[in-house]
Amino acid sequence: MIYTEIAPSENLKEIIHSYWMFEIPKDYNNGKTFLFEVMPENKVSIVFVNYPHFNGIRCLGVQLKRMEKEVNPGSIYFGIRFNP
């Protein structure tokens, strides 16, 4: 799995906390779906998702507790994390 986080330009730092991308190779976990733990987050993200069977956009709100998410190998998530 590859996680990348990029800081925004100086002009956007008041609004945007970061850009991030999470990639899961197709052969990860022998190509089988697995559970991934998402940690609590006090920011809102707009996430562009590219699953092997679905492309779309999700909005993730503030999370107050850990959450488990089923993840498919071959998926890519690209998010924009906003400041509160």
Side-chain angles (χ1 to χ4, degrees):
M1 293 186 291
I2 302 166
Y3 178 79
T4 308
E5 191 165 337
I6 301 166
S9 70
E10 286 296 321
N11 295 337
L12 295 174
K13 279 190 174 186
E14 244 181 78
I15 301 168
I16 296 176
H17 179 268
S18 63
Y19 304 99
W20 58 272
M21 188 160 61
F22 183 50
E23 301 174 78
I24 302 97
K26 288 181 182 181
D27 60 353
Y28 186 84
N29 195 39
N30 294 320
K32 297 178 185 171
T33 300
F34 62 97
L35 289 177
F36 181 79
E37 187 173 19
V38 180
M39 301 305 285
E41 176 75 59
N42 69 344
K43 298 184 175 32
V44 172
S45 288
I46 294 177
V47 184
F48 299 88
V49 294
N50 185 355
Y51 299 137
H53 57 279
F54 172 79
N55 293 321
I57 299 172
R58 305 262 190 229
C59 184
L60 297 177
V62 173
Q63 295 171 201
L64 301 177
K65 56 185 177 178
R66 292 181 184 187
M67 171 178 84
E68 285 190 341
K69 170 84 172 120
E70 198 171 86
V71 177
N72 296 301
S75 298
I76 299 171
Y77 301 82
F78 173 76
I80 302 170
R81 188 175 286 127
F82 295 92
N83 287 318

